[in-house]
Amino acid sequence: MNSSSEYRSYGWWIEHDPNSDRTTLIIGGRIGALRMPAEFAARVHQVLAIHLQAGPVLVDGADWVLLTQPDGRVQLPEDLDEVAGVQAGARLALPPLDDPSWISPPRADRPAPSRQVVVSAARRARADAQLAMTA
């Protein structure tokens, strides 16, 4: 099974351009996404992993994109200025599943966590970092 077929098997809305062999994920209906700086995202991902809630995570430039269950809310809590929601309808380039751009590739047995779980993990990661700085 190629990556496009596998991405579709997760129920994701994707587009594949056979001319460029580029696959893009359409954010919104089936999957949501939160973008954050890599250093902070690594701490968030660690919190999620400890609680067995880690889902797919992709490197995108200097940021990581944590995929979540879709959520119609546009706004994020004001106390999380390092976290940005990816708008519904946005397209995210997807590398092959074996590409090192995947920090944590998608797996059928590990669905994306809810957006609220990732937001809670971000708050926990920030609190842990603040505690470490004061110790």
Side-chain angles (χ1 to χ4, degrees):
M1 182 178 332
N2 67 24
S3 293
S4 293
S5 297
E6 191 154 358
Y7 290 137
R8 281 192 179 96
S9 75
Y10 303 136
W12 295 1
W13 293 349
I14 65 161
E15 290 180 340
H16 183 76
D17 180 354
N19 295 326
S20 67
D21 200 31
R22 182 179 167 171
T23 301
T24 56
L25 171 65
I26 303 168
I27 300 298
R30 302 287 179 153
I31 196 85
L34 296 173
R35 176 181 295 278
M36 50 194 89
E39 184 177 325
F40 182 69
R43 293 194 308 263
V44 173
H45 183 62
Q46 182 180 20
V47 169
L48 290 166
I50 288 169
H51 295 283
L52 304 176
Q53 294 288 318
V57 180
L58 181 64
V59 173
D60 188 28
D63 295 335
W64 286 11
V65 177
L66 285 75
L67 300 182
T68 69
Q69 294 295 316
D71 186 318
R73 290 178 279 181
V74 175
Q75 297 293 347
L76 284 163
E78 290 182 19
D79 64 320
L80 292 175
D81 56 349
E82 52 283 83
V83 180
V86 179
Q87 296 296 319
R91 285 162 167 70
L92 181 66
L94 292 176
L97 287 164
D98 60 354
D99 191 279
S101 296
W102 282 109
I103 298 298
S104 181
R107 293 185 359 206
D109 64 339
R110 187 181 60 204
S114 74
R115 178 178 160 139
Q116 185 55 46
V117 164
V118 177
V119 166
S120 295
R123 285 188 170 127
R124 176 67 183 262
R126 178 188 285 149
D128 289 350
Q130 288 171 342
L131 273 174
M133 290 173 55
T134 60

